[in-house]
Amino acid sequence: MSLSHLSFYSAFTFSSLGLAFHRTHLISALLCLESMMLSMYIPLSTWSVENQTPSFALAPVLMLTFSACEASTGLAMLVASTRTHGSDHLHNLNLLQC
């Protein structure tokens, strides 16, 4: 395993561990999700350049598009929950109370 593969795997692992263990604020969960998407985007884009596959060159752009949509949806949920509940703490959000 090369050093770049190890860094991509460790970045994804650390961001998923951050998502699992630091779930107090919604913004920290969104940042962990964005770092997971970034740690998947970079190897995907370098893989298509290294293998010189023009048919697979559109996949990183599509992944980046879905990541931007996920980020905008997450920020909209953050604004909506802050307006209704007064904070972005995840323990205040309960689906059974809606």
Side-chain angles (χ1 to χ4, degrees):
M1 180 184 319
S2 67
L3 186 61
S4 63
H5 287 102
L6 180 66
S7 64
F8 296 143
Y9 291 143
S10 63
F12 185 80
T13 303
F14 287 144
S15 59
S16 62
L17 285 174
L19 183 63
F21 293 126
H22 301 290
R23 296 185 304 170
T24 57
H25 294 280
L26 184 60
I27 191 73
S28 65
L30 290 174
L31 283 173
C32 288
L33 282 174
E34 285 302 314
S35 65
M36 288 172 71
M37 291 300 284
L38 184 64
S39 66
M40 287 190 299
Y41 168 74
I42 293 173
L44 188 65
S45 62
T46 57
W47 182 74
S48 64
V49 171
E50 286 175 357
N51 292 337
Q52 297 174 351
T53 54
S55 63
F56 198 67
L58 191 60
V61 176
L62 287 174
M63 185 176 178
L64 195 62
T65 304
F66 287 128
S67 175
C69 292
E70 178 256 335
S72 65
T73 305
L75 287 176
M77 287 174 37
L78 175 71
V79 168
S81 68
T82 304
R83 284 184 181 174
T84 58
H85 297 291
S87 69
D88 68 334
H89 290 284
L90 288 178
H91 63 81
N92 290 339
L93 302 176
N94 190 359
L95 289 177
L96 298 176
Q97 293 176 352
C98 291

